[in-house]
Amino acid sequence: MYAPSHTINLIDTPGHADFTFEVLRSLRILDGAVCILDGVAGVEAQTEKVWYQAATYKIPKLIYVNKLDRDGAAFGKTVKEIASKLHAWPAVCQIPWFEGGNGRFIGVVDVVSLQALRWAEGGDGKTIKVFGLTELEAQEPSLVREARKARTALVELLSEYDDVMVEKYLECEEDHMAITEADITASLRRCVLSDTTTLVPVYAGASFRNIGVQPLLDTVVDLLPSPEECPDPEIRMGKTTGSLNELVAGKMVLTDLEKLPKAKRGGSAKKSGHLAIQNLETCALAFKVLNDSKRGVLVYVRVYHGAVHRNALLFNTNLQVSERAPRLLEMYASDAVEVSSISAGQIGVIVGLKYARTGDTLVSYTGANPKTGPPAPLNSLQLRPIDVPPPVFFASVEPQSLSEEKPVADALALLLREDPSLRLSVDEDSGQTLLSGMGELHLEIARDRLIQDLKAKATMGKIEIGYRECILAPGGPKTVLFDRETAGRKGKAGCTATVSPLIEDEVATGMADEHSRLQQDGNLISISILQHRDDADESNPIPTALPTHLSDTIIHTALRNGALAALARGPQYSFALHSTHLSLTIDPSTQIFGTDTTAAALSSVARLAIQAALKASTHQTPTSIMEPVMNVTIGVDEKSLGAVVHDLSSARGGHILSLDDADTISSSSNDNHTSEDLPLIDICRVYAPPDPFGVATVAGDDFGMASNANRARTITARVPLKEMVGYLKYLRSLTEGRGTFVMSVDRFERMSGVREKQVLKEMRGL
């Protein structure tokens, strides 16, 4: 949508915990965020999770308390929960206007401009009456008193974080009301854009009745940053990390070029690399892929440098392929407008790309060659990737007939392009195709997309849990020689593999060299190349034993790919391996055979060596099954608390971590985000206007003692995922439909012997 001289790109995401990836890929490209809270429910568990996810990207945020026209709405209580649950200082910039003090919700009082805004009842939100506080005092004296109190609290809060506001306050002879609207807006903007403050402006409204929406959009323009004011995007080029602006300005030290042997560097490689960077025209991130029934595949991109022009040749640095951008669109919900270019800072859609996936980096440069791609190091430029959480549920997908195999495979490939949090695998024993996802609802929607939207003639089986397998004893070392002809080309390579159970200290202390160690899906892969140094030169007699077509990077990538393939299937139960430390060692003098050693041969020998080491491990001690254990946060009323806790701890084998009031912080629910970096806030120091319907706003008030059956309580627990399948229906029956819960994967844990036997029995259909 357009404001005068401003363009605002709005991105909405699902709130359900199963769609965490949707939130993550949107946060990756945002400049600012508006957190919308329910004025009745307050700060809910999933809101906390998303809030801390946004904090990891240091995104400036505003809060909008919505639905204040509903019965039971409590703006003041919600403000207190912002402090207690989100660890943020709420700067109340608007207070709700209830007619007569306790009537219907009719507008807001702007604490910054000291004006009251009243919306016409039943209108479209365009008819607004503006009142000054003096004019309003005769009609709503208590509201005016509260507005002045709110202005005082706002100025004092800003003074704690902004020295300029202190100066303005002293210039106005310590009169909170005399400070101008422009000065307060400027102070709010400085606080919102600062990385060191936890202050967040809070606004009020009821979007369904179009109350408070226009002032909120004005605030977005006034307080949230433009693309030029946002932190420089993080990039990676080979082993080198830095920022995009440093790269474009020529200030980024390219260590990959510096470390090349002089024989390979040739004196001109470094110069040509810097020349390619100077010719960089565009750098963009594909953050969403969507299949449209009329327009085809739409790739949503955020442009960080330069501009994407129609018919421009774009190089995908993740897939190492080039493709043209035949059409460019600007989206307005489901409507689209064709444009000739998408400039830096903008979000747009490219139609017609065949290969681009979510998280891919797209670049264009002067003198592009569509066949060879850009010269090094530009061909390895990647913006910060979007992290994909591991899936925990899976279901089988079967075509209805042999003739439908290819159409179903094509539809699944498109589905995975759209949503990388879905994963596809094939069970080698049964030959079934398995689709894995983040939750039950996630897989149900994927099934609907596959069958109804993509018109695939397939059936999906029962949703199952993705268990893991772990070894209990070391295995190896095992040395394997691969010598086969594949697709008419000879491949020969050797490798030595050792496997052992992973110790947590190894992960914490052993990740200094990302090039030789990789942590993925709970496993650690260590790679060692013997008797070889990249920095060999005339002054160093150590020779380079690698063929010219192989580099350190190529060898490491090939060995990692082979290791990941071996980890995908356990030696005993065929589950993916977890908590396993793999060590791969290769001696170029005895295990690399000139041009016969290819990347494919290295991947194959790594896989075979690891499988042999795993087999040796299981000869000593059988493997064990690991199950996903979830962090579960459940919201119930006091009356239902006992029944829910008993069900979790006894029937479901869960471990209760805490029983809190709804406005008490549960740090355990956020321990994998950034809440530990945020200080606790004294609720008694937080300003919040009184709620008209007598709802308590301060934790610890006499209101809501244990005798009150409607008192909101929060249960935090760790529960095996198997016991949480279909839990929502059961929870609602225990709480008369009032209970809610969210859960996220905490870790994988070994099963007890009894549970393991039970799971194996169910899997075998006994």
Side-chain angles (χ1 to χ4, degrees), residues 244-252 277:
L244 184 58
N245 288 343
E246 286 179 354
L247 176 70
V248 173
K251 298 178 181 178
M252 185 171 167
I277 292 168

Side-chain angles (χ1 to χ4, degrees), residues 508-666:
T509 60
M511 295 303 296
D513 184 4
E514 293 185 15
H515 192 54
S516 61
R517 287 182 173 237
L518 170 69
Q519 184 186 3
Q520 183 162 334
D521 292 340
N523 300 298
L524 182 63
I525 304 170
S526 302
I527 298 174
S528 176
I529 302 177
L530 302 179
Q531 299 178 1
H532 167 68
R533 287 179 57 172
D534 266 333
D535 55 351
D537 55 28
E538 292 88 343
S539 63
N540 193 330
I542 299 177
T544 296
L546 296 181
T548 56
H549 70 287
L550 293 177
S551 65
D552 262 5
T553 302
I554 293 174
I555 293 175
H556 277 82
T557 301
L559 293 177
R560 286 177 183 177
N561 290 340
L564 292 174
L567 287 169
R569 183 179 174 85
Q572 192 163 349
Y573 302 113
S574 300
F575 295 124
L577 282 160
H578 194 278
S579 300
T580 303
H581 184 184
L582 308 182
S583 296
L584 292 171
T585 305
I586 188 166
D587 185 348
S589 62
T590 60
Q591 294 177 323
I592 289 182
F593 305 90
T595 56
D596 288 346
T597 301
T598 61
L602 288 169
S603 295
S604 297
V605 76
R607 177 176 57 84
L608 294 173
I610 292 170
Q611 288 175 344
L614 289 171
K615 189 174 181 181
S617 169
T618 57
H619 281 327
Q620 302 178 38
T621 308
T623 61
S624 179
I625 296 179
M626 303 183 77
E627 64 178 340
V629 177
M630 313 302 285
N631 259 333
V632 184
T633 304
I634 305 172
V636 298
D637 53 24
E638 181 76 27
K639 181 173 60 176
S640 307
L641 181 67
V644 174
V645 169
H646 180 267
D647 175 65
L648 287 173
S649 58
S650 59
R652 301 182 187 275
H655 176 58
I656 305 297
L657 300 178
S658 65
L659 300 175
D660 302 321
D661 290 337
D663 40 2
T664 302
I665 301 167
S666 175

